[in-house]
């Protein structure tokens, strides 16, 4: 760079190692080291190509070639120097090089002196108060002492900063700090800006208040206004409106690809008085503006503290201001401070995996590999569904053939055969649909060998699939009866009726009304109505309140409507048994098979409900702590019944009689099995959870100092807490995490709850294993130090294998937790757990990553200062400013492809369990990535999703 000359000299016989840094002291005047002499320290870089580059020249202790250190007339041995490696053993060539640099160093020192004097004259005129402050705390010489030294130190730091910018890493970092994302740059973006101008302009001018919306910063209006003012000040304008040409000039500056230009704009946004210097108050204002743009309300409250932190870092000389180059320095050092966990460099093996996936394959081979992978991943589902379909086809065919041989076929035709075949599948499915919701049975079967061949994780999906088959069966059965074979019957001639159906319906041919009004018709029609209501309110649109209905029909949406309407099936099953007894064409009891299909499943389901009823009353719990956190999340911590044993990842049902004496709702357990309490985190998403939060809010109080939460209650609370009943535990996909070598746990928002228990369980096991290993080691050392009897020898021989077994208790070697949320306050939910994991996980088994999507991605000017403050605060205090924990927070959304690439590189040949809880959109992306990376090499990913 200009103003920073490079000094490159080569010696063929120089044997100094490459990349070494050498500091040489010398006197600008003479080679003696008297007290009146001024010494300068020269720092050199010896590069790989034997090029010597001058790094810095600054006042420092001198190292004489004879091995004596001189500074202001005092001499110390060379061993006390900053560069002790350079002494009497230094080569003559290095001494020669030192002498060659002397003259140039003298010129450099004089230049520094002139710059310091000029700076002092300029500064003392406008900042007399700061001068007096520095004078009072400096040497007895007054302002010329301490203030002179401060300016000299800053000037030298500036020279080093300019040299740092020439480095490759710094050059890469300078590509950031953009005001508009790359997607909105270019000609198309300007065309969009012009259309916005035409829409928002008044009398041909765009007013300041509409600037944010015009340039696409509608969500960052305050930041956009600061940008508007900064660009106006650069053009010496003080206006509140722009013409089209002026807007184009502003847009050109905003989208300028030059980092220097963007940095200057950002500096001007802070430097509102245009004096080329930023004060602490101005830093505070821009922090508040950035916090507002990124929806970080807490950061605004601590803006003053973080402004002081930046000034402390960038203004160590305490001059009271920072300049442009210092802001640039902070941006360059951000990654050094932050030290984010970046994806590991690819090993040659991992690279070959990725390259293997890029090789061209024939279309037939690609299709065959997809089919093979699909069969490998879904063979459990496939064989179960195949067996189910074959049973239905067999039942349908059996009834079809059976009724074709009856006399009724001669009048009612194939309509009757289809209706009866559909009826047989309906009986089977009405019995089968109860089994997937027998949760206690499913939870028990998970621990048996059947779990290897039956996908119990898909029990709810199978329940929905059977419901779809029931819907099709009802349409075929009821539709054929009402619209086909009944009309054929009443339209049949008297002769045909007497010949084929006289013994079935009696001597008089029934009318259509007679058929519908019979027991068979009434029960059938009522079942269709009740099932239609239950099916409709169970759909996602109604259950998740995605359909907005006017009052009073709004009560038909939401979980409550789904819950109560589903209990209509109790009536449906009663009607189904009655319907199966009063059949038109079958009168012998042993041929009426409906009750045979339903007997076992109904009794099993009824037994499950009875078990839940008595168990929930027996498992009484006492609330220990209640806290309400930002994001409308209620935390309930309760005592754990002695008989309540569960695994991490499982869930339980919760009932609050004060809200509803009938409703039970499932929630993931967030405490670990080793904890002496149970806890759940409940987010306000429906009418029941809203009422639950209201009930507990009335009993809670504002927390005392040092306690978390917006509202809080515990055993010391004066108000009586509502009663709570629990039922469970019940199985979930995440409970099988122990069978994997590596875990990738991904939670969106409140979807992190099942994984918090897993993290705590892993941590508890790690601590327990280390304690056991330490105790065994201590016992072994004590045995070794004893007299050495045969008993001690036997003890040691017995303990050593036990220690090995203890250390291999856990199959899981690493766990990666990715938590993506939209609200800063969400991190309060599990702050204690994250801090505990970060503190106790000394072996690095658990790696946690927090992502906040409300903050603009790294490199955006709106989040640049926040990233800097985050880096500084974490480096100095070990606390993340966003989450308030020891876990650093990333901005925007994760790059999942990089996450999988990193895991492939680090855990080659491992079996990785990917567990996800959250919105279905990301589930599809993660499932596709598992498929893609499974094709590339030996690392295998197995995807599991929580079902609700």
């Amino acid at each position: 760079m200009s103003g920073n000359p490079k000094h490159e000299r080569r010696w063929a016989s120089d044997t100094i190692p490459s990349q070494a840094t050498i500091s040489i002291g010398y006197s600008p005047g003479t080679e003696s080291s008297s007290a009146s002499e001024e010494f300068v320290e020269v720092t050199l870089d010896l590069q790989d190509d034997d090029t010597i580059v001058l790094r810095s020249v600054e006042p420092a202790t001198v190292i004489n070639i004879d091995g004596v250190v001189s500074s202001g007339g005092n001499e110390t041995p060379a061993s006390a120097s900053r560069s002790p490696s350079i002494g009497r053993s230094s080569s003559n060539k290095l001494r020669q090089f030192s002498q060659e640099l002397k003259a140039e160093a003298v010129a450099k020192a004089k230049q520094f002196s002139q710059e310091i004097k000029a700076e002092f004259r300029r500064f003392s005129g406008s900042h007399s108060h700061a001068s007096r402050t520095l004078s009072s705390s400096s040497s007895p010489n007054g302002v010329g002492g301490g203030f002179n030294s401060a300016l000299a130190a800053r000037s030298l730091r500036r020279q080093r900063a300019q040299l740092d910018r020439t480095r490759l890493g710094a050059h890469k970092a300078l590509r950031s700090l953009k005001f508009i994302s790359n997607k909105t740059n270019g000609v198309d973006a300007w065309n969009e800006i012009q259309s916005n101008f035409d829409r928002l302009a008044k009398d041909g001018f765009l007013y300041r208040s509409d600037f944010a919306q015009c340039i696409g910063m509608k969500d960052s209006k305050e930041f956009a206004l600061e940008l508007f003012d900064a660009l106006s000040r650069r053009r010496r304008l003080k206006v509140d409106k722009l013409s089209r040409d002026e807007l184009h000039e502003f847009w050109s500056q905003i989208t300028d690809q030059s980092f220097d230009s963007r940095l200057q704009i950002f500096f001007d946004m802070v430097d509102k008085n245009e004096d080329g210097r930023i004060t602490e108050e101005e830093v505070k204002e821009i922090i508040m503006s950035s916090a507002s743009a990124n929806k970080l309300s807490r950061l605004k409250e601590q803006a003053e503290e973080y402004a002081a932190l930046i000034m402390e870092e960038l203004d160590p000389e305490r001059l009271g201001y920072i300049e442009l180059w210092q802001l640039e320095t902070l941006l360059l050092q951000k990654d050094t401070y932050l030290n984010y966990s970046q994806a590991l460099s690819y090993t040659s093996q991992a690279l070959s995996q990725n390259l293997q996936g890029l090789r061209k394959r024939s279309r037939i081979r690609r299709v065959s590999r997809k089919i093979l992978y699909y069969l490998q991943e879904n063979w459990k589902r496939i064989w179960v569904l195949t067996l189910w379909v074959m049973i239905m086809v067999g039942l349908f065919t059996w009834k079809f053939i059976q009724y074709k041989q009856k006399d009724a076929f001669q009048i009612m035709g194939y309509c009757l055969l289809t209706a009866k075949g559909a009826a047989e599948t309906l009986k089977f499915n009405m019995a089968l649909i109860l089994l997937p919701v027998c949760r206690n049975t499913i939870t028990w079967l998970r621990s048996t060998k059947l779990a290897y061949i039956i996908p119990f994780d898909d029990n709810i999906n199978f329940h929905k699939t059977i419901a779809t088959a029931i819907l099709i069966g009802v349409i075929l059965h009821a539709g054929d009866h009402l619209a086909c074979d009944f009309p054929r019957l009443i339209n049949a001639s008297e002769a045909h009726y007497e010949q084929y159906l006289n013994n079935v319906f009696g001597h008089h041919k029934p009318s259509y009304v007679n058929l519908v009004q019979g027991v068979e018709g009434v029960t059938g029609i009522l079942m269709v109505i009740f099932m239609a209501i239950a099916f409709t309110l169970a759909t996602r649109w109604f259950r998740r309140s995605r359909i907005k209905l006017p009052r009073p029909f709004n009560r038909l949406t939401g979980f409550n409507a789904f819950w109560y309407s589903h209990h209509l099936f109790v009536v449906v099953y009663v009607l189904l048994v009655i319907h199966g007894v009063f059949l038109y064409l079958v009168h012998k009891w042993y041929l009426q098979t409906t009750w045979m299909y339903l007997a076992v499943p109904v009794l099993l389901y009824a037994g499950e409900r009875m078990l839940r009823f008595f168990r929930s009353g027996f498992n009484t719990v006492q609330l220990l702590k209640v806290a309400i956190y930002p994001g409308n999340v209620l935390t309930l911590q309760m005592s754990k019944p002695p008989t309540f044993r569960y695994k991490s990842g499982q869930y339980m049902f919760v009932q609050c009689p004060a809200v509803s004496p009938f409703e039970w709702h499932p929630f993931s357990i967030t405490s670990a099995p080793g904890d002496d309490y149970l806890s759940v985190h409940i987010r306000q998403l429906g009418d029941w959870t809203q009422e639950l939060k209201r009930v507990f809010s009335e009993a809670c109080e504002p927390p005392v100092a040092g306690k978390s939460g917006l509202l809080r209650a515990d055993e010391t609370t004066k108000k009586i807490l509502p009663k709570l009943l629990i039922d469970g535990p019940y199985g979930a996909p995440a409970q099988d995490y122990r069978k994997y070598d590596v875990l990738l746990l991904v939670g969106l928002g409140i979807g992190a709850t099942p994984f918090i228990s897993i993290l705590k369980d892993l941590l508890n096991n790690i601590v327990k294993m280390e304690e056991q290993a330490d105790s065994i080691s201590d016992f072994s050392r004590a045995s070794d130090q004893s007299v050495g009897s045969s008993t001690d020898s036997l003890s040691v021989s017995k303990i050593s294998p036990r220690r090995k077994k203890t250390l291999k208790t856990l199959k899981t070697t690493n766990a990666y937790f990715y938590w993506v949320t939209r609200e800063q306050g969400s991190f309060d939910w599990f702050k204690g757990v994250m801090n505990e994991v970060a503190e106790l996980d000394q072996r690095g088994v658990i790696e946690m990553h927090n992502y906040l999507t409300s903050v603009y991605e790294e490199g955006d000017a709106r989040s640049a200062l926040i990233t800097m403050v985050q880096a500084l605060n974490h480096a100095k205090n070990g606390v993340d400013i966003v989450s308030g924990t020891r876990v650093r927070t990333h901005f925007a959304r994760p790059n999942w492809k990089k996450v999988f690439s990193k895991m492939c590189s680090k855990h080659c040949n491992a079996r990785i369990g990917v567990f996800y809880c959250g919105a279905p959109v990301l589930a599809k992306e993660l499932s596709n990535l598992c498929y893609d990376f499974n094709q590339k090499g030996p690392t295998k990913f197995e995807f599991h999703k929580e079902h609700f």
Side-chain angles (χ1 to χ4, degrees), residues 9 11 13-16 22-27 31 42 44 46 52 62-68 85-103:
R9 296 175 173 81
W11 292 276
S13 60
D14 196 353
T15 58
I16 298 176
I22 306 174
S23 296
I24 307 174
Y26 56 86
S27 167
E31 294 187 8
V42 180
L44 309 173
L46 293 130
I52 300 177
V62 65
I63 303 175
N64 289 333
I65 302 301
D66 295 333
V68 179
S85 60
I86 303 179
R88 289 188 174 89
S89 61
S90 300
S91 65
N92 293 332
K93 293 181 179 179
L94 189 58
R95 183 187 296 111
Q96 178 183 358
F97 175 67
S98 171
Q99 293 173 352
E100 289 177 358
L101 283 177
K102 240 177 233 186

Side-chain angles (χ1 to χ4, degrees), residues 839-851:
E839 181 179 354
L840 297 179
D841 184 23
Q842 301 298 328
R843 295 166 55 195
V845 173
I846 302 172
E847 186 175 304
M848 294 182 293
H849 299 268
N850 294 336
Y851 281 83

Side-chain angles (χ1 to χ4, degrees), residues 818-927:
Y818 284 81
W819 186 17
V820 185
T821 183
R822 291 178 296 182
E823 301 174 3
Q824 182 186 8
S826 303
F827 297 119
D828 286 350
W829 305 345
F830 311 114
K831 180 183 292 185
V833 176
M834 289 188 288
N835 282 331
E836 188 178 5
V837 171
E839 181 179 354
L840 297 179
D841 184 23
Q842 301 298 328
R843 295 166 55 195
V845 173
I846 302 172
E847 186 175 304
M848 294 182 293
H849 299 268
N850 294 336
Y851 281 83
L852 186 62
T853 58
S854 66
V855 180
Y856 290 93
E857 62 183 348
E858 188 174 343
D860 195 295
R862 286 166 284 189
S863 62
L865 200 62
I866 295 175
T867 307
M868 298 177 195
V869 174
Q870 182 192 41
L872 278 175
N873 193 71
H874 200 281
K876 291 182 177 293
N877 304 318
V879 177
D880 182 73
I881 65 171
V882 177
S883 66
T885 68
R886 298 179 61 183
V887 181
R888 292 186 288 266
T889 301
H890 306 260
F891 300 149
R893 290 174 173 81
N895 186 327
W896 294 113
K897 191 171 184 179
K898 287 186 178 179
V899 171
F900 277 74
S901 297
K902 169 187 172 181
M903 300 191 72
C904 267
S905 303
K906 191 173 181 180
H907 303 287
C908 189
N909 297 308
R911 187 178 174 213
I912 301 177
V914 182
F915 294 90
Y916 172 71
C917 184
V921 177
L922 182 56
K924 185 177 181 180
E925 180 182 352
L926 294 176
S927 179

Side-chain angles (χ1 to χ4, degrees), residues 167 267 362 424 495 609 612 652 732 780 797 825 933 935-936:
R167 299 168 62 188
F267 186 86
S362 65
E424 203 66 19
R609 295 302 295 261
R612 291 179 58 180
M652 67 181 182
S780 299
S797 63
F933 281 89
Q935 306 303 308
K936 295 179 181 179

Side-chain angles (χ1 to χ4, degrees), residues 66 277 381 403 458 571 625 630 680 735 794 814 935:
D66 295 333
R277 298 171 179 181
R381 301 182 181 95
Y403 272 83
D458 292 325
V571 180
K625 187 185 76 172
V680 292
Q735 76 176 58
L794 288 174
N814 289 90
Q935 306 303 308

Side-chain angles (χ1 to χ4, degrees), residues 135-263:
S135 175
S136 63
S137 61
S138 61
S139 65
N141 294 330
V143 176
F147 187 65
N148 222 352
S149 301
L151 288 176
R154 174 167 290 195
S155 181
L156 293 173
R157 281 201 307 115
R158 180 173 185 175
Q159 295 295 328
R160 287 198 300 270
Q162 290 174 343
L163 287 171
D164 286 339
R165 184 173 174 175
T166 63
R167 299 168 62 188
L168 181 61
H171 177 70
K172 185 178 180 180
L174 294 177
R175 297 175 183 174
S176 59
L177 198 64
K178 52 183 180 292
F179 293 93
I180 302 294
S181 65
N182 293 330
K183 296 179 182 179
T184 57
N185 287 334
V187 179
D188 294 337
W190 171 243
N191 292 335
E192 184 178 349
I193 299 298
Q194 288 190 93
S195 79
N196 292 340
F197 179 88
D198 296 335
R199 180 169 51 87
L200 299 171
K202 300 174 183 177
D203 300 328
F205 289 94
L206 177 72
Y207 283 82
R208 180 177 179 271
S209 59
D210 297 324
F211 181 71
Q213 185 174 356
C214 184
I215 66 170
M217 285 190 177
K218 185 178 180 180
D219 296 333
S220 311
K221 186 173 182 179
E222 186 177 343
F223 188 89
L225 294 180
E226 295 283 359
L227 179 61
F228 179 93
D229 295 339
L231 294 173
S232 299
R233 288 194 297 269
R234 296 185 76 184
R235 300 179 69 251
R236 297 295 186 268
L237 292 177
K238 291 185 178 180
V239 295
D240 62 348
K241 59 183 180 180
L242 296 173
S243 65
R244 185 188 297 270
D245 293 338
E246 290 171 334
L247 178 63
H248 184 267
E249 185 176 344
F250 275 29
W251 178 253
S252 299
Q253 295 180 58
I254 292 173
T255 56
D256 196 326
Q257 296 301 308
S258 167
F259 172 78
D260 291 317
S261 174
R262 286 176 282 163
L263 180 64

Side-chain angles (χ1 to χ4, degrees), residues 661-681:
F662 305 109
E663 293 185 51
W664 290 84
H665 293 261
F667 299 101
S668 297
I669 304 173
T670 53
S671 55
D675 295 335
D676 56 358
Y677 61 89
L678 289 173
S679 66
V680 292
H681 287 66

Side-chain angles (χ1 to χ4, degrees), residues 424-467:
E424 203 66 19
T425 64
L426 273 173
K427 299 177 202 175
F428 170 69
N429 285 325
M430 287 297 289
L432 187 64
I433 198 171
L434 295 174
L435 298 181
V437 290
C438 291
R439 292 184 173 87
N440 289 288
T441 304
I442 296 294
T443 302
W444 171 69
L445 290 174
R446 281 175 177 273
S447 60
T448 65
K449 293 184 179 180
L450 285 175
Y452 292 102
I453 60 173
I454 298 178
F456 291 115
D457 290 343
D458 292 325
N459 61 319
I460 299 300
N461 285 336
F462 190 43
H463 177 79
K464 296 176 181 178
T465 304
I466 298 172

